[in-house]
C-alpha cells in the first residue's frame, strides 16, 4: 500500500466513475489531492421536511472513507484450479477468474484468508453459488464460487463496502416504514417504437428507487418526475434513495441525463448505483462513442455528479454479484454483472451481456429485473441461482424481444409479467417459444406502451 | 511563418479580450459586431454606434423572467456549454453567455439532448401531448420544416419580445424561412451550427505555388467579385498530376475534390441556381430548376467539371474528400466550414478559403449555402411565449460578444486561418449565406437532379418537363400548409 488518501465518500466513488471516463484510465491515486481538498459540509438529506426546501439545500454530509488502490496482484494466491485470467472490472476493482476449481479447493482458500488478516464481512450460499466477502486494511475481497461452472471469482475492491456504505451493506435492522411499497412500470413508447426500460419502486419509508428510466430526449424524465411527485408521501421533495442503471444503452440510461439536465433540483438523489465495464472495455464495445461525447448521457451524468449545484452530494456505488443492498426497507439482491461474463471479453462487446440483473424484494413480494441479459447469460443465472430466481413479478429480458429462455422463466414462475416494450414489438415477438411460455402459463401481463401501471408490493394488486 | 505568428497573436489577444470582458452587455451597447447576414466582422472590431439594428431594447436586468428554459437539442454542440478551462472555446463561450443570463435575469439554460434521428418524432409527440418537457426545440431545418407543415410551431413574428430585425438574428434565415409573413424557425447568434454548415471552397497554397499560381491574385479576384466557374477552371485545369502509376486514383493530385452530389449542389447554389427560390414580388417559393436559367447553370457546371481528371469523384464521404485535400491531393475542396478544424489540426500545407464560385461576372453576389443547420423553434402550445421570446432575444444578444466572437474572431480568424487575407474571403462567405428554401427539404427532385449531375446527364430538360406539374402542386401544397 503506497498511500492512503482521505476522501469524501461520494467524491471517492465519483472519482472512480470519472476514472472510467478518462482516456488514460485515471489511476485512483491521481485524483486524491484534488478531491480531498474539495470538502463540503452541509445538512443531512433526511432533515429536509419543508415543502419549499430545494434539492440544492438538501445535501448530505460527506462521510470520510479510506480509499486504498489495489491491483489484481493484491489478491491472495489461490491453490488449485486451472486456466487463470485477470480482469479489470473498472473503477479500481480487479478480478482473478479461475476455472476448473473444486469446491474443496475454494473452501480451503476461504479458510486461509483469515490467517492473512482478512475479516469475514458476509457469507451466503444460494443455488450452487457461494459468496464470501472479506475485508482487510480498507480493502475488500469477494470470493465467489459457482459449482455448475467450476469457477472461482476473486474480486478485490479499493474500499470495504461494509464500512464505506454501512447504511445499505450488511444491514441487519432494515428500515421499517408505514408507506405502502409500490412498483411502477412507466409508460414508454413513441409512435410504436420501444423507448426502453423504466421502473420506479416506492420503499416502505416513502423514498424511491428508480430503475433505468428509458431514452433521453423523448420526455421520459418528465414522466418519472411526475410519478415521483404523485406518489410522494413525504411532503417535501421526492427522495430517490437509489437510481439503478443496468447498462449504458440509450434506451436504459438516457433519462437520468435529462433528469440531471432539467429536473435535478426537483428530487433529492441519494445514490446512483451501477456497475459499468472499465473504460478500456467500453471503448471496445457497442457504446464506444459515449466516452468522448460531451453530450452522451454517460458524460452528462458524470458532470452532474461532480457539480456542487447538481448532484455533487450523491453517492456512486458499484455493486457486485452476490451483494445484498438494503435501501430503506427494500432488499436488492445482485445476481449478474459484466464481471460474471469475464474472461469472455468478446461477449462483452455487446453491453446487453453486461446487464446488471437483480431481484428487488419489498412488502413480502419480489420483482426480478433481467434488463437486456443475453441468452447465454440467462442460462448461466439459471444454473447459478436455480430456485432463488423465483419471483412474483418478472421483467422479461430485452423488452421481450430476443434472448428469452424458458429455463429461466420456469424458475421465476411469476404472477405478473411486465413487458417494457411497444405494442408492435410485443406482437412481433409474442410467438417466440419463451414468450409463449410466459403468456400461456402466467395470468397477468402489462405492456408499457399501453400505459403506466402501478402495483402494490404487498398485495400485487393494481393501485390507481 | 510570420503569418501564422500573426494569427496566433490575434487569437491570443482575442482570448484575452474575451476573458477580460467583465460585462459583455455593457460592451455590446457601444460596440456591436455586425450581423451574420450583413457582414461577419473582422479581427479589427468596428464600432457601430448609430445602427438601430444593434441596439438592445429589452431590460438589461430583471427578475420577471427568471427560472429555467429547456431546450430540446439535437445539435451536436451543447447549448448549456461547459465550465471547464480545458473545454472547447466555444463551449466555454456558451457557458459564459449562460452565466450572464443567470446573473442578469435569473434564467437557467438547460438542455435535453436527443439524437437527430429521433428528434422530429420526439418533438412531435411531446407537442401533441400539450405539455412538452422543453420550451424551445433545436432541430435541423428538415425536421423543423416537417413539424412546421403540421402547424406545431409558434409564429416568431407574433412575439413582441423578439425583434427579428436586430443584427443578432440571422436576416438571411428570416428572409428564406418566412412565408406569408410567418416565421416558425430561424437562427441567431445563440448557436453556431448555421455558421459551421456554410459551404465554401478551400485551396491549397503549396499546390498553387507548385503551379506558379499567385495566392494573392486569387484572393484579389475573389474580393473583387471575379471568382467565377470560368476562373476556377482556369486556375485548376493544369493541376492534375499522376503519381506515376498511370492510373487516375486517389493518390494523384487533382484540380477539385469533394463528395460529387454535394459539390454539384453547392456549385448550383454558388451559381445562383438554387432549385427553389423566393419570388421577390410575392415572397413565395417557386421552382427555379424548371427555368432556362437553371438549365444554363446546370450545363455550365457540367462543362466546367467534366474535363478529364478535373474533378475526382471517388469520394463517398466528406471525410474522404477532406483527407485527400489535407494530404495535398487537390488544389480545391468543396466542403463546409466545420471541416476547417480538420485542416487546422492535420494539414501540413497552408490553405485558404474562397466563396462558392459565381456562374459568371453578370452574377451580382456570391451565394454560399448552408445545408440543414439546426434552427430554433417554439412549440405552438407554449404557455408563455413572451417569456420565452424575451429569453431568446437576450440570449441572442449576449451571444454576440461571447459565442459569435469566439466562433469568428478566435476560432476561425485566429486559430484556423493560415494567411492574412483569409478573413476577407471568410467575410465574403458569411456576407452571402443563402439558406435553402424549406420546401426543398420536403421534395425528392433535388436529389434526382444531383444524381443526374453526378452521372453527367445532359437530359435535364426532359426530366424537368416530366416533373414540372407535380412539382408546382407540391410547392402549392407546401405554401398552403405553412401559411394557413
Amino acid at each position: 500500500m503506497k498511500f492512503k488518501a482521505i476522501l469524501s465518500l461520494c467524491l471517492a466513488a465519483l472519482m472512480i466513475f470519472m476514472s472510467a471516463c478518462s482516456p488514460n484510465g485515471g489511476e485512483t491515486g491521481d485524483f486524491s489531492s484534488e478531491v480531498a481538498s474539495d470538502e463540503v459540509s452541509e445538512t443531512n438529506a433526511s432533515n429536509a421536511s419543508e415543502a419549499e426546501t430545494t434539492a440544492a439545500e438538501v445535501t448530505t454530509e460527506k462521510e470520510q472513507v479510506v480509499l486504498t488502490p489495489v491491483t489484481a496482484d493484491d489478491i491472495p494466491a489461490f491453490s488449485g484450479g486451472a486456466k487463470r485470467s485477470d480482469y479489470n472490472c473498472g473503477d479500481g476493482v480487479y478480478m482473478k477468474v479461475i476455472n476448473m476449481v473444486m469446491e474443496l479447493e475454494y473452501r480451503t482458500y476461504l479458510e486461509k484468508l483469515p490467517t492473512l488478516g482478512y475479516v469475514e464481512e458476509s457469507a451466503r450460499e444460494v443455488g450452487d453459488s457461494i459468496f464470501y466477502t472479506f475485508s482487510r486494511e480498507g480493502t475488500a475481497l469477494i470470493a465467489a464460487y459457482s459449482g455448475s461452472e467450476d469457477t472461482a471469482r476473486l474480486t478485490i475492491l479499493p474500499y470495504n463496502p461494509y464500512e464505506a456504505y454501512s447504511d445499505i451493506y450488511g444491514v441487519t435492522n432494515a428500515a421499517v416504514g408505514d408507506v405502502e411499497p409500490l412498483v411502477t412500470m412507466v409508460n414508454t413508447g413513441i409512435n410504436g417504437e420501444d423507448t426502453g426500460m423504466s421502473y420506479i419502486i416506492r420503499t416502505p419509508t416513502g423514498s424511491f428507487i428508480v430503475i433505468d428510466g428509458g431514452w433521453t430526449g423523448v420526455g421520459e424524465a418528465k414522466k418519472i418526475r411526475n410519478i415521483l411527485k404523485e406518489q410522494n408521501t413525504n411532503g417535501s421533495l421526492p427522495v430517490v434513495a437509489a437510481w439503478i442503471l443496468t447498462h449504458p444503452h440509450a434506451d436504459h440510461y438516457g433519462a437520468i441525463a435529462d433528469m440531471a439536465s432539467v429536473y435535478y433540483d426537483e428530487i433529492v438523489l441519494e445514490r446512483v448505483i451501477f456497475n459499468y465495464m472499465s473504460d478500456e472495455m467500453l471503448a471496445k464495445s457497442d457504446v464506444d462513442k459515449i466516452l468522448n461525447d460531451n453530450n452522451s448521457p454517460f458524460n452528462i451524468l458524470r458532470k452532474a455528479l461532480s457539480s456542487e449545484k447538481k448532484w455533487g452530494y450523491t453517492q456512486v456505488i458499484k455493486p457486485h454479484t452476490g451483494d445484498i443492498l438494503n435501501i430503506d426497507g427494500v432488499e436488492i439482491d445482485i445476481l449478474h454483472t459484466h464481471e460474471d461474463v469475464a474472461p469472455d471479453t468478446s461477449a462483452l462487446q455487446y453491453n446487453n451481456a453486461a446487464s446488471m440483473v437483480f431481484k428487488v424484494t419489498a412488502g413480502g413480494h419480489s420483482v426480478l429485473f433481467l434488463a437486456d441479459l443475453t441468452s447465454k447469460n440467462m442460462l448461466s443465472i439459471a444454473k447459478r441461482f436455480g430456485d432463488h430466481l423465483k419471483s412474483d413479478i418478472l421483467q422479461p429480458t430485452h423488452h421481450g424481444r430476443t434472448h428469452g429462455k424458458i429455463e429461466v422463466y420456469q424458475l421465476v414462475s411469476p404472477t405478473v409479467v411486465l413487458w417494457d416494450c411497444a405494442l408492435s414489438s410485443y406482437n412481433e415477438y409474442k410467438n417466440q417459444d419463451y414468450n409463449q411460455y410466459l403468456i400461456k402459463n402466467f395470468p397477468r401481463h402489462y405492456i408499457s406502451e399501453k400505459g403506466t401501471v402501478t402495483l402494490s408490493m404487498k398485495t400485487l394488486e393494481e393501485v390507481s | 511563418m510570420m503569418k501564422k505568428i500573426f494569427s496566433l497573436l490575434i487569437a491570443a489577444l482575442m482570448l484575452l479580450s474575451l476573458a477580460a470582458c467583465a460585462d459583455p452587455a455593457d460592451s455590446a451597447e457601444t460596440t456591436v459586431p455586425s450581423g451574420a447576414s450583413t457582414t461577419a466582422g473582422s479581427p479589427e472590431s468596428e464600432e457601430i454606434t448609430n445602427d438601430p439594428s444593434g441596439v438592445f431594447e429589452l431590460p438589461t436586468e430583471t427578475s420577471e423572467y427568471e427560472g429555467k428554459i429547456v431546450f430540446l437539442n439535437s445539435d451536436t454542440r451543447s447549448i448549456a456549454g461547459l465550465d471547464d478551462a480545458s473545454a472547447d472555446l466555444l463551449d466555454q463561450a456558451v457557458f459564459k453567455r449562460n452565466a450572464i443570463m443567470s446573473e442578469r435575469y435569473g434564467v437557467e439554460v438547460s438542455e435535453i439532448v436527443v439524437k437527430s434521428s429521433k428528434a422530429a418524432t420526439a418533438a412531435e409527440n411531446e407537442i401533441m401531448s400539450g405539455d412538452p418537457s422543453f420550451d424551445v426545440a433545436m432541430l435541423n431545418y428538415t425536421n423543423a420544416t416537417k413539424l412546421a407543415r403540421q402547424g406545431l410551431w409558434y409564429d416568431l413574428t407574433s412575439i413582441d419580445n423578439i425583434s427579428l430585425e436586430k443584427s443578432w438574428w440571422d436576416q438571411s434565415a428570416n428572409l428564406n424561412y418566412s412565408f406569408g409573413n410567418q416565421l416558425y424557425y430561424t437562427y441567431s447568434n445563440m448557436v453556431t451550427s448555421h455558421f459551421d454548415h456554410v459551404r465554401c471552397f478551400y485551396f491549397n497554397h503549396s499546390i498553387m505555388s507548385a503551379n506558379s499560381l499567385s495566392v494573392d491574385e486569387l484572393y484579389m479576384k475573389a474580393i473583387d467579385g471575379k471568382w467565377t466557374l470560368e476562373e476556377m477552371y482556369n486556375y485548376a485545369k493544369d493541376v492534375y498530376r499522376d503519381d506515376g502509376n498511370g492510373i487516375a486514383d486517389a493518390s494523384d493530385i487533382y484540380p477539385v475534390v469533394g463528395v460529387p452530389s454535394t459539390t454539384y449542389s453547392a456549385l448550383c447554389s454558388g451559381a445562383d441556381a438554387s432549385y427553389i427560390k423566393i419570388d421577390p414580388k410575392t415572397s413565395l417559393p417557386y421552382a427555379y430548376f424548371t427555368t432556362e436559367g437553371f438549365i444554363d447553370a446546370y450545363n455550365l457546371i457540367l462543362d466546367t467539371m467534366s474535363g478529364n481528371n478535373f474533378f475526382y469523384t471517388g469520394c463517398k464521404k466528406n471525410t474522404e474528400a477532406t483527407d485527400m485535400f489535407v494530404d495535398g491531393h487537390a488544389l480545391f475542396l468543396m466542403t463546409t466550414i466545420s471541416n476547417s478544424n480538420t485542416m487546422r489540426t492535420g494539414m501540413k500545407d497552408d490553405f485558404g478559403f474562397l466563396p462558392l464560385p459565381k456562374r459568371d461576372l453578370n452574377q451580382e453576389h456570391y451565394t454560399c449555402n448552408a445545408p440543414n443547420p439546426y434552427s430554433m423553434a417554439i412549440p405552438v402550445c407554449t404557455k408563455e411565449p413572451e417569456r420565452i421570446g424575451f429569453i431568446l432575444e437576450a440570449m441572442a444578444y449576449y451571444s454576440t460578444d461571447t459565442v459569435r466572437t469566439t466562433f469568428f474572431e478566435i476560432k476561425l480568424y485566429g486559430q484556423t486561418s493560415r494567411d492574412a487575407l483569409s478573413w476577407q474571403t471568410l467575410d465574403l462567405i458569411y456576407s452571402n449565406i443563402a439558406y435553402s428554401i424549406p420546401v426543398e427539404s420536403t421534395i425528392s427532385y433535388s436529389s434526382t437532379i444531383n444524381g443526374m449531375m453526378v452521372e453527367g446527364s445532359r437530359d435535364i430538360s426532359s426530366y424537368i418537363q416530366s416533373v414540372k406539374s407535380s412539382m408546382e402542386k407540391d410547392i402549392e401544397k407546401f405554401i398552403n400548409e405553412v401559411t394557413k
Side-chain angles (χ1 to χ4, degrees), chain A residues 6 27 102 109 123 168 223-224 229 260 275 283 330 358 370 385 429 442 444 447 455:
Chain A
I6 303 299
E27 278 192 22
M102 292 186 294
Y109 183 75
I168 60 170
K223 287 181 199 165
I224 293 168
K229 278 185 174 178
N275 184 348
V330 174
F358 50 95
L370 293 169
F385 293 103
Y429 291 95
F442 306 109
R444 293 171 58 194
I447 299 167
L455 306 176

Side-chain angles (χ1 to χ4, degrees), chain A residues 189-191 193-194 215-219 222 226 250 258 261-266 294-295 300 303 309-310, chain B residues 68 70 72 75-78 82 91 108 110-115 118 121-122 124-126 131-133:
Chain A
I190 172 169
N191 281 0
E193 285 180 45
D194 287 337
W215 269 100
T216 180
V218 295
K222 188 172 186 176
N226 290 345
D258 294 354
S261 297
V262 181
Y263 309 115
Y264 62 88
D265 55 353
E266 297 185 40
N294 273 330
N295 280 339
I300 290 172
K303 281 181 273 183
K309 183 182 161 191
K310 294 187 173 177
Chain B
K68 288 177 189 166
V70 181
L72 180 74
D75 192 354
T76 50
R77 189 168 282 287
S78 170
L82 274 177
D91 285 331
E108 182 185 341
S110 310
E111 68 182 336
I112 291 173
V113 177
V114 64
K115 286 184 178 177
K118 283 192 176 289
T121 313
E124 179 185 344
N125 277 17
E126 288 220 51
D131 185 24
S133 52

Side-chain angles (χ1 to χ4, degrees), chain B residues 5-25:
Chain B
I5 292 170
F6 179 69
S7 295
L8 284 170
L9 278 171
I10 289 177
L13 279 170
M14 292 302 169
L15 268 171
L16 285 170
S17 67
L18 181 70
C21 181
D23 193 336

Side-chain angles (χ1 to χ4, degrees), chain B residues 361-375:
Chain B
L361 291 173
N362 293 324
Q363 185 177 323
E364 193 174 352
H365 301 293
Y366 293 109
T367 54
C368 297
N369 69 330
N372 223 6
Y374 293 87
S375 61

Side-chain angles (χ1 to χ4, degrees), chain A residues 96-354:
Chain A
K96 280 188 184 295
V97 185
I98 306 154
N99 298 119
M100 300 173 70
V101 172
M102 292 186 294
E103 187 173 335
L104 181 62
E105 293 171 325
Y106 170 74
R107 291 200 181 276
T108 303
Y109 183 75
L110 294 179
E111 287 171 10
K112 186 178 82 172
L113 290 174
T115 68
L116 299 174
Y118 280 93
V119 176
E120 183 182 309
E121 295 283 0
S122 70
R124 63 186 297 222
E125 299 193 15
V126 52
D128 83 341
S129 296
I130 309 170
F131 301 96
Y132 274 75
T133 303
F134 296 86
S135 64
R136 190 182 78 167
E137 295 177 352
T139 68
L141 179 71
I142 302 170
Y145 177 72
S146 165
S148 61
E149 295 177 343
D150 299 330
T151 299
R153 293 174 192 276
L154 311 174
T155 309
I156 192 161
L157 284 59
Y159 53 89
N160 174 10
Y162 288 84
E163 185 183 339
Y165 312 122
S166 58
D167 52 344
I168 60 170
Y169 273 81
V171 173
T172 52
N173 54 338
V176 179
D178 55 4
V179 177
E180 183 177 24
L182 306 172
V183 57
T184 298
M185 176 172 67
V186 181
N187 158 244
T188 53
I190 172 169
N191 281 0
E193 285 180 45
D194 287 337
T195 56
M197 170 170 165
S198 180
Y199 293 87
I200 298 169
I201 308 286
R202 188 172 72 181
T203 75
T205 66
S207 65
F208 296 93
I209 297 167
V210 179
I211 296 163
D212 280 349
W215 269 100
T216 180
V218 295
E220 304 304 332
K222 188 172 186 176
K223 287 181 199 165
I224 293 168
R225 187 274 307 256
N226 290 345
I227 292 169
L228 294 175
K229 278 185 174 178
E230 286 165 16
Q231 295 186 358
N232 190 25
T233 57
N234 289 340
S236 58
L237 290 178
V239 174
V240 177
W243 194 312
I244 301 174
L245 299 168
T246 61
H247 63 293
H249 274 161
D251 57 334
H252 290 258
Y253 86 141
I256 194 171
D258 294 354
M259 190 68 84
S261 297
V262 181
Y263 309 115
Y264 62 88
D265 55 353
E266 297 185 40
I267 62 170
V268 176
L269 180 59
E270 294 184 336
R271 301 172 191 87
V272 177
I273 298 176
F274 59 88
N275 184 348
Y276 293 165
M277 294 186 284
S278 65
D279 57 343
E280 292 89 348
M281 289 292 294
L282 286 174
K284 293 174 190 166
S285 76
D286 56 348
V287 298
D288 57 329
K289 291 184 174 61
I290 64 173
L291 294 169
N292 295 320
D293 176 0
N294 273 330
N295 280 339
S296 71
F298 185 83
N299 283 324
I300 290 172
L301 175 60
R302 178 180 64 81
K303 281 181 273 183
L305 290 169
S306 64
S307 163
E308 277 186 38
K309 183 182 161 191
K310 294 187 173 177
W311 293 340
Y313 62 89
T314 303
Q315 285 185 341
V316 181
I317 295 172
K318 181 183 181 87
H320 307 275
T321 302
D323 286 355
I324 291 181
L325 318 180
N326 197 304
I327 299 175
D328 292 346
V330 174
E331 183 184 280
I332 299 168
D333 187 352
I334 308 295
L335 302 175
H336 178 88
T337 72
H338 63 96
E339 294 160 4
D340 299 295
V341 185
D344 182 7
T345 51
S346 62
L348 290 171
Q349 289 175 7
Y350 190 40
N351 270 271
N352 285 348

Side-chain angles (χ1 to χ4, degrees), chain B residues 140 202 324 407:
Chain B
N140 65 37
Y202 294 79
M324 268 188 78
F407 181 87

